[in-house]
Amino acid sequence: MVSLTAPYVSGFLAFREVPFLLELVQQLREKEPGLMPQVLLVDGNGVLHHRGFGVACHLGVLTDLPCVGVAKKLLQVDGLENNALHKEKIRLLQTRGDSFPLLGDSGTVLGMPTGQPSPSLSQALRSHDRSTRPLYISVGHRMSLEAAVRLTCCCCRFRIPEPVRQADICSREHIRKSLGLPGPPTPRSPKAQRPVACPKGDSGESSGGAPSPQRQADRTTPGGRRSTAQHQVGQR
């Protein structure tokens, strides 16, 4: 674990987190060079940023590794808003892999090319069939948007790409164990199935148990006649 000393300031996330991420990459490069990743998926934005240089760009430049910004929420820059029009575009994303470009007020296409000679920077992506909330993919470093979107989609078993999802799960578990916090609640066992009530008038099976041998005999007796054992029981 690390202790963050820099305060959180919107738009300056890189100055708070990148030094620790950079240290981890350098340790991996020195101790396990064979495990160095070919690309980094960063839980944050790349060029989809107030200054066009988010945490994915920052980390990519310092490590010289291809980086992709994967944000869970829309960073409202250059006139981009989570308004009714944006929500309608999200609604039109029907299946996994569907996406739409993000066009800013400046005319810069913050997404896939639309036939205009503008740079492609980021895109809203539906990453899973069972999720209606898109991811916001943006170029970080040494990566085209088309490749970034395709790679992110291929990494998704659920809504969040697996490298980011597993990093979050493992880090939370490490913090829980380090601080001695209780684990997640144990799932409840399924409730025992209640016996099905019998129709009225069938008092011999009202307890929900198996039918008695006498009743079985009665059901199998030719002509529907009662067996001797049942006749004796009835006389009692």
Side-chain angles (χ1 to χ4, degrees):
M1 287 195 301
V2 297
S3 298
L4 298 174
T5 56
Y8 171 75
V9 179
S10 178
F12 292 89
L13 181 65
F15 296 94
R16 175 179 168 88
E17 297 186 359
V18 162
F20 304 104
L21 299 176
L22 179 61
E23 182 180 352
L24 290 175
V25 173
Q26 290 174 340
Q27 289 179 4
L28 185 62
R29 182 174 281 147
E30 294 171 1
K31 297 179 180 180
E32 297 289 347
L35 298 180
M36 281 297 295
Q38 294 177 309
V39 60
L40 299 176
L41 299 183
V42 183
D43 187 1
N45 289 291
V47 293
L48 180 58
H49 186 264
H50 300 91
R51 295 167 184 80
F53 201 85
V55 61
C57 300
H58 200 134
L59 182 62
V61 168
L62 293 178
T63 61
D64 198 31
L65 290 171
C67 279
V68 179
V70 182
K72 305 180 187 72
K73 297 181 180 179
L74 175 65
L75 185 60
Q76 303 187 49
V77 299
D78 196 16
L80 294 173
E81 296 182 14
N82 190 19
N83 53 21
L85 177 60
H86 184 77
K87 293 176 181 177
E88 175 62 18
K89 290 181 179 180
I90 292 176
R91 190 186 66 81
L92 295 176
L93 301 177
Q94 297 296 317
T95 60
R96 176 185 180 187
D98 287 353
S99 60
F100 63 85
L102 303 171
L103 178 63
D105 287 346
S106 65
T108 300
V109 180
L110 301 174
M112 294 296 287
T114 59
Q116 302 174 355
S118 303
S120 301
L121 303 179
S122 61
Q123 185 175 1
L125 166 71
R126 179 165 180 167
S127 58
H128 197 273
D129 285 331
R130 292 195 295 272
S131 175
T132 58
R133 294 179 297 165
L135 296 174
Y136 295 94
I137 312 302
S138 56
V139 172
H141 184 62
R142 293 178 55 191
M143 174 74 66
S144 70
L145 179 59
E146 181 182 1
V149 170
R150 186 171 64 249
L151 176 65
T152 302
C153 195
C154 289
C155 289
C156 290
R157 294 178 57 203
F158 303 97
R159 177 183 176 235
I160 308 301
E162 209 58 16
V164 176
R165 179 174 170 270
Q166 290 299 325
D168 183 66
I169 291 173
C170 293
S171 62
R172 290 176 185 273
E173 180 64 13
H174 179 74
I175 292 174
R176 183 189 69 79
K177 291 181 178 179
S178 299
L179 299 180
L181 300 176
T186 304
R188 293 182 178 180
S189 58
K191 294 182 179 180
Q193 186 175 3
R194 297 174 115 188
V196 179
C198 295
K200 293 182 179 180
D202 199 3
S203 58
E205 297 178 22
S206 59
S207 61
S212 64
Q214 290 81 3
R215 287 192 174 274
Q216 288 180 336
D218 185 36
R219 291 172 182 171
T220 57
T221 300
R225 292 178 297 172
R226 299 173 68 187
S227 65
T228 304
Q230 287 180 298
H231 183 68
Q232 293 174 351
V233 171
Q235 288 180 338
R236 293 177 190 173

